[in-house]
Amino acid sequence: MKIFIDSADVDKIKEAYSWGIIDGVTTNPSHVAKTGRKHLEVYREICDLVDGPISLETITLTAPEIAAEGRALAKMHKNVVVKVPLLREGLKAVKILTAEGIKTNVTVTFSPLQALLAAKCGATYISPFVGRLDAAGHVGMDCVRQIRTIYDNYDYKTLILTAAVRHPLHVLEAALAGSDVITMGFDVLEQLYYHPMTDLGIDIFLKDWAKVPKP
Ligand code: E4P
């Protein structure tokens, strides 16, 4: 399972990347806005830092505009994946970009049927937003499970990228559901390391070690 960090904060990305568990990065307009920095500057730094797929999002709403934006983003670096919203125009752009050999990540996805359409247009990744579905009273992970079934039924190669992850249980459920990738914020990544019994176990070992006669 690939793990991506969902952020545009270069310091946080750098720190998480140094842990050896990060395979790629997803950004979005909200993450970029939070940095208070110019987007191209941020994108260049992330591309220089991480050797893996880096999703950069388009912000236009018609297929020709999205395709043009996507081409410009893809030119920045070989690892760029063009993030496109799940609109009819967005999927038209995905089809165009895919035909040109440009990788895409279809985002803001909330249903398995939307994911089916994205796969038909050749999307490289599909990003179901599980946390936002949960917040709307649905079981977000059901969307991931249903997409997995549909893609396996018809052998679609589009990779499932579970997104809008809020806590470690989402990570566990996505892994059990066969999500190809999961993207999460720095705080959830940190939480994955923690278990109170690990701390307690280490404490016991160190206390016992102190009793071992020293040479
Ligand atoms: C995924 O690629 C998105 O950037 C992200 O997960 C959006 O979710 P959120 O803003 O609800 O956390």
Side-chain angles (χ1 to χ4, degrees):
M1 188 192 206
K2 303 277 187 203
I3 295 180
F4 292 176
I5 179 167
D6 192 30
S7 176
D9 181 328
V10 177
D11 291 335
K12 290 257 167 70
I13 294 171
K14 193 173 187 174
E15 171 63 16
Y17 194 51
S18 76
W19 301 342
I21 56 161
I22 298 298
D23 301 294
V25 182
T26 52
T27 65
N28 66 36
S30 307
H31 288 325
V32 177
K34 267 185 233 149
T35 69
R37 303 179 58 203
K38 290 186 180 148
H39 67 290
L40 291 178
E41 203 176 279
V42 172
Y43 292 168
R44 273 190 209 102
E45 285 179 28
I46 297 173
C47 289
D48 285 345
L49 192 61
V50 175
D51 187 18
I54 295 162
S55 289
L56 306 179
E57 192 156 340
T58 55
I59 43 94
T60 48
L61 299 174
T62 67
E65 287 175 306
I66 297 168
E69 238 192 298
R71 284 183 201 107
L73 289 169
K75 266 194 199 130
M76 286 185 66
H77 196 278
K78 66 175 172 51
N79 287 339
V80 168
V81 175
V82 179
K83 210 170 171 188
V84 178
L86 207 151
L87 298 164
R88 198 184 309 176
E89 289 295 302
L91 294 189
K92 278 163 68 179
V94 166
K95 187 121 191 172
I96 296 166
L97 292 169
T98 302
E100 295 175 17
I102 295 172
K103 291 191 172 148
T104 57
N105 172 1
V106 175
T107 188
V108 207
T109 304
F110 293 95
S111 93
L113 293 175
Q114 291 178 319
L116 170 61
L117 301 179
K120 288 191 72 70
C121 289
T124 316
Y125 299 94
I126 186 76
S127 289
F129 278 22
V130 295
R132 293 196 198 182
L133 277 166
D134 287 357
H138 299 280
V139 179
M141 207 53 68
D142 281 349
C143 184
V144 173
R145 286 186 272 267
Q146 290 171 356
I147 297 170
R148 181 75 283 153
T149 301
I150 293 168
Y151 284 5
D152 288 349
N153 281 349
Y154 299 101
D155 202 21
Y156 284 118
K157 301 299 179 209
T158 301
L159 299 168
I160 305 174
L161 197 172
T162 301
V165 160
R166 303 287 181 253
H167 45 67
L169 190 56
H170 276 152
V171 183
L172 175 65
E173 285 185 309
L176 292 173
S179 182
D180 301 286
V181 190
I182 184 160
T183 191
M184 68 197 92
F186 187 86
D187 52 339
V188 180
L189 279 169
E190 272 193 316
Q191 287 171 40
L192 296 183
Y193 285 89
Y194 180 70
H195 197 289
M197 292 187 73
T198 302
D199 290 352
L200 184 62
I202 292 169
D203 198 44
I204 291 167
F205 282 150
L206 291 180
K207 280 188 178 132
D208 285 342
W209 188 251
K211 295 175 204 157
V212 174
K214 302 293 174 302

